[in-house]
Amino acid sequence: MSILSKISRHTILSLLLWAGVATLAIGFVMNSMWLQVPLGRLSESSKLAAAAFVVAWIVTRISRMHFANSLAIVWGIALIIFVGILPVLSVSLMILCALALGSMIVATHYQRSVLVPTMLGLSLIVGTIGWLLPFPLHYPWVYLTALTLPIFFRRHEVLTRTKASFEAWQHALNESPKAAVFGVMVAGIASTGCWFPTLQFDDLGYHIGMPSQLAAFGYYRFDVFSQLWAMAPWAGDIVQSVAQLSAGQEARGAVDAFWLLASAALLWRLATTMAMPPYARWLASALYLSLPMTSALAGGMQAELPATTILLALALAVAEAPARPDVRVFCSISMLAALMLAIKTGFLAATIPIGIWLLIRWRGRVPARAILPALVLVIFIAASSYVYAYLISGNPMLPLFNGIFHSPLIPQDNFSGTPYKAGGGITSPWLMTFHTHLFSECWDGAAGMSFLGLIGASIAALFMRKLRPLALVATVAFLIPFEAINYYRYAYPALVLMIPVTVAAASTLLTRRTGITVLTMMIGLNLLYQGCSYYTLHDATFLKHKTWSKEKLFKRFAPERSIAEFIRQHSDTDTAVLCDPGRPFYAELAGRGLTISSYDTELSKLFVFEVEQDPNGNAWRGLFAKVGARYAVTTESKRSPALTAALSDASKIRQIGAIELWLLPVTTETSNLLQSRDLAAMKFRP
């Protein structure tokens, strides 16, 4: 009876898996999804992959090294060509410093791992810099010195762990050579998202502001008047800032490459805790790397890419934790949880289920001696943005929940942005797969095909004893934020966390050959829709449009970056107003750029209620005088009659595409707006 019961259970779970595959096939046909494939990006990816394969084959023939190593070297060289050698070196320095710091405090149980100690070291770096942001200490020589010293003093430990990680890499290649080659190829294709300079909307309007201000002034201005989100949790931007200041140039692509590869490695390691066969571990990493959103996030500074890495590290730390409560293990896990909160408050929804998982493993027991040091570490790592926001505004969650905290600095309401309202429920996987535009700013297919195609395997994992804990954690981590806001990017880290249990279930329920076929098919389908996730990828920029240089990319996608560079070259003090509320790409000007968009609540109100209501342009001139502007940046097709009238006595000195730069006439009026908005200097320094 028990044998029949076991067979019946296996059959039912297998049917459940195949039901997901069948649902995907039916929906694919019903929605004619082949019409959504961005053929330009598909052609570009195919040509890049073929070129990498050929070059790697030649390298292998000459050097006799493992083909996967040759392929990794080829893609690595391509990354260096596009992002620059200095950014790659600066990120490598930061990682080694993090490893040096993390190896000092990591629990003995994680001594074999290089991944968990590195994440712990990053948490210490983020915590330290977060508290020091308002003070003029952030200079390249300071960062280079601070990063180098821990490596020097811990050089033996760093060398030992680095050597061990290379040995583990070679062992992983030898365990499953073909799967390794496939995984490295998918990683290379995904890494092409890192090749772009910073071009994404939120990055140019907000995220690039911190590294730009630290480079320009040596401190962060805390200017919530010019940027509503200036005090939001900033761990991701701190990591970007460390790399940029150390390199002396933009380093976003190299930072994103680190997050990308670290996530893939953590997934591989997490898969080993579930006793997956070697080929399945590689396919689990490849499945993550093939998701269209992965490449899109690799092209920007959004919080979800680093959060995915840290969430996987947190899950790995709990999965590998000893059965008995341990003080250092508890502190290590607390530090990783704190780093999640230091990136975005909303990631509490993914952190709490993992904490509950740990408590269940420890049967509700927490070492009493660990509570105080863990609390101190959490406050040190996660609290800086919340404390500074409270000190300058009275609202630790600024700009959120201001209807509760009533900060006088911004409007008195509970800011919520524009939530997506496609609806949750049982149809969400279908809608997210075939009608992705309802859940994100993208083309349909941007969520990939594997979420729906393997949903049966994900559900089956809930009925497998070894997979159930992580499957439950990932399910809860997905449902809580997704039910609140139906936004795919917010749910992305939890969906990635579901990948190892999904692949483990599939590899258990299917034969080796069938499992490889199904998983490889899902990875291939995901790659077909990679270009649907963001317009820079959809556009087939590199080959179709032959746009390789930074200047050409700026001209095509973000002319304001070239304008900002022009302004910096001609003045260290002049202020520019960006007059198109739909293009608030001013963060790079590091406080000397202002916007009339909703990021600046004062100027946006002037724009809506006064400036555009005056057809003679005098109100616009008054706004320019109020902020002491010397430049105005406009969009030719969106320049209103009122703004055109205001610029009648200005000189157009530059135009890139539709973006115009105007030199405003010199006035006798003086403005101290920028100084009065520098809350860091006003409140935290004499």
Side-chain angles (χ1 to χ4, degrees):
M1 182 64 68
S2 61
I3 296 177
L4 291 175
S5 176
K6 184 176 180 181
I7 293 174
S8 175
R9 182 173 177 275
H10 185 278
T11 302
I12 291 171
L13 295 181
S14 297
L15 290 174
L16 190 60
L17 184 153
W18 285 111
V21 176
T23 302
L24 175 65
I26 292 169
F28 194 91
V29 174
M30 285 179 59
N31 291 279
S32 304
M33 288 303 293
W34 54 86
L35 299 177
Q36 297 294 330
V37 175
L39 296 178
R41 175 60 184 176
L42 176 60
S43 173
E44 181 175 81
S45 297
S46 301
K47 290 175 181 176
L48 290 172
F53 188 93
V54 170
V55 175
W57 181 82
I58 295 172
V59 171
T60 300
R61 296 283 293 180
I62 295 172
S63 65
R64 301 294 182 183
M65 71 172 63
H66 196 290
F67 188 77
N69 282 332
S70 300
L71 201 56
I73 290 172
V74 171
W75 284 113
I77 291 173
L79 180 74
I80 292 172
I81 290 172
F82 281 96
V83 307
I85 184 64
L86 289 178
V88 171
L89 291 175
S90 71
V91 171
S92 301
L93 183 69
M94 179 176 63
I95 294 168
L96 291 175
C97 177
L99 177 59
L101 293 172
S103 65
M104 292 191 294
I105 60 174
V106 71
T108 306
H109 198 73
Y110 306 123
Q111 286 297 328
R112 295 175 300 164
S113 172
V114 72
L115 298 167
V116 172
T118 300
M119 291 301 120
L120 293 176
L122 272 180
S123 73
L124 293 178
I125 293 172
V126 165
T128 302
I129 294 176
W131 291 106
L132 297 176
L133 281 175
F135 306 106
L137 304 168
H138 306 270
Y139 303 104
W141 67 270
V142 174
Y143 276 45
L144 289 170
T145 302
L147 292 175
T148 303
L149 287 177
I151 300 172
F152 175 77
F153 287 113
R154 299 279 296 172
R155 57 189 180 277
H156 176 71
E157 184 70 19
V158 170
L159 286 172
T160 300
R161 286 179 177 270
T162 303
K163 181 181 178 182
S165 68
F166 278 114
E167 291 174 352
W169 165 259
Q170 288 301 130
H171 180 69
L173 298 186
N174 294 329
E175 278 189 312
S176 186
K178 293 181 180 179
V181 170
F182 181 71
V184 172
M185 179 63 80
V186 177
I189 296 171
S191 73
T192 58
C194 304
W195 293 2
F196 295 93
T198 302
L199 298 170
Q200 296 188 9
F201 189 100
D202 285 351
D203 303 340
L204 300 182
Y206 165 45
H207 290 291
I208 203 172
M210 179 181 288
S212 298
Q213 289 181 36
L214 296 183
F217 308 121
Y219 68 94
Y220 187 47
R221 288 165 42 89
F222 289 0
D223 184 357
V224 298
F225 297 106
S226 301
Q227 173 47 260
L228 192 66
W229 294 94
M231 303 303 297
W234 47 39
D237 293 340
I238 287 177
V239 174
Q240 295 282 356
S241 299
V242 172
Q244 181 164 324
L245 263 69
S246 302
Q249 64 186 81
E250 181 181 305
R252 195 223 78 256
V255 172
D256 286 348
F258 162 67
W259 293 126
L260 194 76
L261 298 178
S263 296
L266 283 161
L267 259 172
W268 198 97
R269 178 80 179 179
L270 196 55
T272 64
T273 67
M274 301 172 192
M276 276 195 223
Y279 80 87
R281 301 172 200 168
W282 283 104
L283 292 179
S285 294
L287 189 61
Y288 154 70
L289 292 164
S290 70
L291 290 172
M293 183 58 71
T294 299
S295 292
L297 290 172
M301 301 169 72
Q302 295 285 6
E304 281 69 25
L305 184 61
T308 298
T309 308
I310 299 158
L311 184 63
L312 291 170
L314 187 57
L316 177 63
V318 173
E320 292 187 338
R324 293 182 178 181
D326 181 277
V327 172
R328 297 188 71 181
V329 168
F330 185 77
C331 288
S332 297
I333 291 172
S334 298
M335 291 172 68
L336 293 172
L339 190 54
M340 285 290 286
L341 296 182
I343 289 183
K344 184 182 285 188
T345 312
F347 292 140
L348 189 65
T351 305
I352 289 177
I354 292 184
I356 295 173
W357 179 21
L358 178 67
L359 290 177
I360 293 174
R361 289 203 62 194
W362 284 354
R363 301 181 184 277
R365 294 175 296 166
V366 175
R369 293 186 297 116
I371 294 175
L372 181 59
L375 182 61
V376 171
L377 286 167
V378 168
I379 292 173
F380 175 73
I381 294 166
S384 60
S385 66
Y386 303 98
V387 170
Y388 279 131
Y390 176 77
L391 291 176
I392 71 168
S393 72
N395 180 356
M397 309 294 291
L398 200 76
L400 304 176
F401 305 116
N402 207 45
I404 298 173
F405 292 102
H406 303 293
S407 169
L409 303 186
I410 64 172
Q412 305 289 305
D413 55 32
N414 292 322
F415 182 88
S416 60
T418 307
Y420 281 73
K421 297 294 184 181
I426 196 170
T427 61
S428 293
W430 176 283
L431 293 173
M432 192 182 295
T433 301
F434 303 121
H435 305 282
T436 324
H437 71 277
L438 299 175
F439 302 88
S440 187
E441 312 90 340
C442 62
W443 288 265
D444 291 339
M449 299 291 120
S450 58
F451 176 44
L452 180 61
L454 295 175
I455 196 167
S458 301
I459 297 172
L462 294 168
F463 297 93
M464 298 180 176
R465 185 174 59 84
K466 290 185 178 180
L467 305 182
R468 188 180 301 126
L470 185 55
L472 283 171
V473 166
T475 300
V476 173
F478 165 71
L479 290 176
I480 292 176
F482 188 75
E483 287 301 315
I485 300 178
N486 309 139
Y487 192 37
Y488 172 64
R489 179 162 56 83
Y490 293 170
Y492 169 85
L495 291 175
V496 173
L497 188 61
M498 182 64 78
I499 286 176
V501 292
T502 300
V503 174
S507 62
T508 301
L509 296 171
L510 302 174
T511 64
R512 176 187 172 93
R513 178 175 295 180
T514 305
I516 291 174
T517 300
V518 170
L519 293 171
T520 304
M521 179 184 69
M522 294 299 167
I523 293 167
L525 285 172
N526 285 345
L527 290 174
L528 283 179
Y529 295 91
Q530 186 186 64
C532 292
S533 58
Y534 205 74
Y535 68 89
T536 50
L537 294 169
H538 194 274
D539 208 44
T541 302
F542 295 110
L543 297 182
K544 179 180 177 182
H545 297 290
K546 297 181 174 59
T547 303
W548 299 85
S549 70
K550 182 178 71 173
E551 292 74 18
K552 289 182 178 179
L553 288 167
F554 286 171
K555 182 178 180 180
R556 181 169 184 80
F557 296 113
E560 288 86 351
R561 293 211 64 186
S562 295
I563 295 293
E565 187 174 356
F566 177 86
I567 293 173
R568 288 197 306 271
Q569 289 174 351
H570 287 78
S571 173
D572 294 328
T573 57
D574 288 336
T575 301
V577 177
L578 279 76
C579 302
D580 183 351
R583 298 182 67 90
F585 304 150
Y586 69 120
E588 188 177 5
L589 287 167
R592 294 193 296 114
L594 297 167
T595 179
I596 57 169
S597 74
S598 58
Y599 285 148
D600 188 317
T601 56
E602 180 185 3
L603 296 189
S604 64
K605 284 184 179 180
L606 285 176
F607 169 72
V608 173
F609 297 109
E610 295 183 27
V611 169
E612 281 296 282
Q613 308 305 316
D614 178 8
N616 297 320
N618 292 326
W620 267 111
R621 292 190 183 97
L623 185 149
F624 294 147
K626 176 183 176 66
V627 303
R630 191 73 175 98
Y631 297 100
V633 181
T634 63
T635 304
E636 185 177 26
S637 60
K638 296 184 179 180
R639 181 161 28 90
S640 67
L643 179 55
T644 301
L647 296 172
S648 60
D649 54 353
S651 303
K652 187 195 295 187
I653 58 175
R654 195 170 181 84
Q655 181 163 356
I656 304 176
I659 306 302
E660 307 166 316
L661 177 64
W662 300 81
L663 181 65
L664 302 174
V666 178
T667 65
T668 57
E669 299 181 52
T670 59
S671 171
N672 65 349
L673 182 72
L674 296 185
Q675 290 76 16
S676 66
R677 289 183 167 193
D678 190 343
L679 298 182
M682 291 176 61
K683 291 181 176 289
F684 298 102
R685 300 203 305 275

